[in-house]
Amino acid sequence: HVQLVESGGGSVQAGGSLNLSCVASGDTYRGVMCMGWFRQAPGKEREFVAGITANGDITTPDSVKSRFTISKDTAANTLYLQMTSLKPEDTAMYYCAVPLYDGSYSFIGYWGQGTQVTVS
């Protein structure tokens, strides 16, 4: 079992930046595992934001690729999401996740509780 705790959300003005963190604990395989970020805005489906595989391969949708950067500190079991040039449409609850299969973000084994990002 894996526990995920996100932090770093908040309220910012358009054009601002935020850095999200997600600390994993439990059966983390010493941090060497696939992890990702998702977000869900009110009334919308949860969407994939960025992912990084166990060996560091990164996947980021074109919609945020130029503005969002995912990274991880394996030793610290921590996942990061650096967000710049934020837009009001980035407003959502952001979730950290551990997929069931390395490199596939369609099936999620564990979710964090989420951290709210609000851009005005």
Side-chain angles (χ1 to χ4, degrees):
H1 190 72
V2 176
Q3 295 82 41
L4 303 170
V5 179
E6 303 96 332
S7 62
S11 296
V12 296
Q13 292 187 340
S17 300
L18 281 174
N19 295 316
L20 306 185
S21 299
C22 171
V23 178
S25 61
D27 296 331
T28 60
Y29 306 101
R30 300 181 180 180
V32 183
M33 61 182 180
C34 183
M35 298 181 74
W37 289 98
F38 289 73
R39 68 185 180 186
Q40 187 168 20
K44 296 187 177 181
E45 293 187 353
R46 193 170 296 189
E47 65 172 335
F48 173 69
V49 174
I52 185 167
T53 66
N55 66 1
D57 294 329
I58 290 173
T59 301
T60 311
D62 290 340
S63 58
V64 299
K65 181 174 291 185
S66 64
R67 301 184 296 117
F68 291 7
T69 303
I70 188 172
S71 62
K72 65 178 178 179
D73 183 336
T74 298
N77 289 342
T78 302
L79 181 72
Y80 302 99
L81 184 68
Q82 182 180 11
M83 304 186 294
T84 62
S85 301
L86 284 163
K87 304 174 182 180
E89 50 263 44
D90 294 318
T91 295
M93 186 71 78
Y94 283 70
Y95 297 92
C96 177
V98 174
L100 289 175
Y101 309 109
D102 191 11
S104 174
Y105 302 99
S106 299
F107 303 96
I108 301 301
Y110 302 100
W111 292 99
Q113 84 289 348
T115 185
Q116 178 68 38
V117 171
T118 302
V119 185
S120 59

